[in-house]
Amino acid sequence: MKKLINAPDDVVTDALAGLAAAHPSLRLDAENKVVIRGDAPRPNKVGLVSGGGSGHEPLHGGFVGYGMLDAACAGEVFTSPVPDQMLAATQAVNGGAGVLHIVKNYTGDILNFQLAAELADDEGIEVVSVVVNDDVAVQDSLYTAGRRGVGATVFVEKIAGALAEEGASLADVAAVAREVNERSRSFGVALTSCTLPAVGKPSFELAESEIELGIGIHGEPGRERTTITTAHNLAGTVMDAIADDMPLSGDVLVMVNGMGGTPLMELYVMFAEVQRYIEGHGARVARNLVGNYITSLDMQGFSVTVTQLTDTLTRLWDAPVDTPGLRWGR
Amino acid sequence: MKKLINAPDDVVTDALAGLAAAHPSLRLDAENKVVIRGDAPRPNKVGLVSGGGSGHEPLHGGFVGYGMLDAACAGEVFTSPVPDQMLAATQAVNGGAGVLHIVKNYTGDILNFQLAAELADDEGIEVVSVVVNDDVAVQDSLYTAGRRGVGATVFVEKIAGALAEEGASLADVAAVAREVNERSRSFGVALTSCTLPAVGKPSFELAESEIELGIGIHGEPGRERTTITTAHNLAGTVMDAIADDMPLSGDVLVMVNGMGGTPLMELYVMFAEVQRYIEGHGARVARNLVGNYITSLDMQGFSVTVTQLTDTLTRLWDAPVDTPGLRWGR
């Protein structure tokens, strides 16, 4: 295994220290592995907390800042954070208007965020949780009852964060977060496996020309293994899976996301194909993101997330944001 | 070979189409493979043109936009663009105040940009060229007489672009570009090789635990091959090479750049170590970039670029920029 780390046990701590050092507007609770906005808690602003296993950077710590998350808790690589971390994050961002937990649908994350919400409630902090479950690939999965939460998490964090920044109530911020999730679908493809620092060898094996359709962000099995084909055909397969589940129409927000080891050049090739598919099916790509936003360590591959926009969602998407991973308009 | 492409011969064309589709503020001259700011030419603004072989995305096309480049020409993968492309880019951005060519020090790039400048001169367009040669690893290299041009190119494009946006003269924009290059040093490390789409197999081989110190962005040989070690030790090796060539002092701008296949998490681990080294050697990391900015296809590895700042350079670095690859303050 060749990785830019000091030791497998230190990688999360060291990476968080680097993130905080590179972005002085963030504050790090190193003991609890929580990344916090420097100006948190903001009085009367709903606090947004997310988190999950590490190895998906920039998600979630890279999305802490103005217009997005107030705090993110980092678990070990591909491992849920514990309730104490989530509680510490919740306390740190509670400005009196309540706290929204944005939870990807993995069993450990669900259970631990639920416990953290109960502990926060005991302290008089109102918490509402929203579960993200946008992955159409499989119904249940290795670590998940129901659909997995993947790329839509980025959109939920951005759009709910923008509404919270405007001073909306906890109920309204939670409602828009749920709306984004309900209007979003994702599907991922792996070209290669990924290697966890603590394991030192690939999590699974793919043959020379083999790819996995419907891969999870932890390498959970997808729908099937098949042979690599053209970007055009891959876009067709991915978009058929998404459009079968949510017919395409109107304006959509699209992310072509890299899994961590795929060059940006290839993601742009995929974006051109995805856009062509969508516009050939009667919808319009009104907004987009192309790059590494929710990754799986060094995995090569990509995922596509499509969200049906409304005027309000578009306005909130366009609102200023200032985080390490997304930054514009401010 | 598993890549997200349609065909090796189409990858540059398809990726440029995707870039332009994702960023409607850019305009694509598809025939010449030139990415242009939508509002170019801007009257009385110095035009900034760069370019080079593809495979280093987001460099250069991803740095076209407000506050940075006016146009970028894309060669085939790891191959210099031809003079006609550079001339087309120069014509497209000439607003009457002259055009700056920012040229990485590779023999093909130098010769072709020189010819393009002569052709532009024949048409009455004033062109000044600035050569970037910041890589301290080796004196001459596979495609280069003198030092290679690498990460400092990003800083030159950003800072010269900011000065051009203020309405400075061609001479002044060229002077600040040269100043940034002179105050910058870089060094890269490869953990793995990279695979060109047209070749289909890795350009070189590194063994299971082997890394190459001083790698070039096309996989050109560096100083030596050695065994993978800790992030702390790697930072020491890289920073010793840089500091030996340019003693560290005052405020510096630092980039920890991924080669394309390295997870962001590992780049943050490296940043923490690089910052510790610099601050332990009497300088201060006043500004930084951590991420994939000048890549080598799917290569795993990183490079560090250090620039000695002045108040003026810091101000120009902080100025608004709005490109696919760098975006803030606007």
Side-chain angles (χ1 to χ4, degrees), chain A residues 124-139:
Chain A
I125 305 175
E126 189 184 3
V127 173
V128 174
S129 295
V130 170
V131 174
V132 181
N133 60 349
D134 55 312
D135 189 341
V136 303
V138 291
Q139 186 47 40

Side-chain angles (χ1 to χ4, degrees), chain A residues 136-157:
Chain A
V136 303
V138 291
Q139 186 47 40
D140 295 305
S141 186
L142 201 55
Y143 311 113
T144 317
R147 288 179 168 183
R148 300 176 299 223
V150 290
T153 315
V154 179
F155 295 168
V156 169
E157 293 177 359

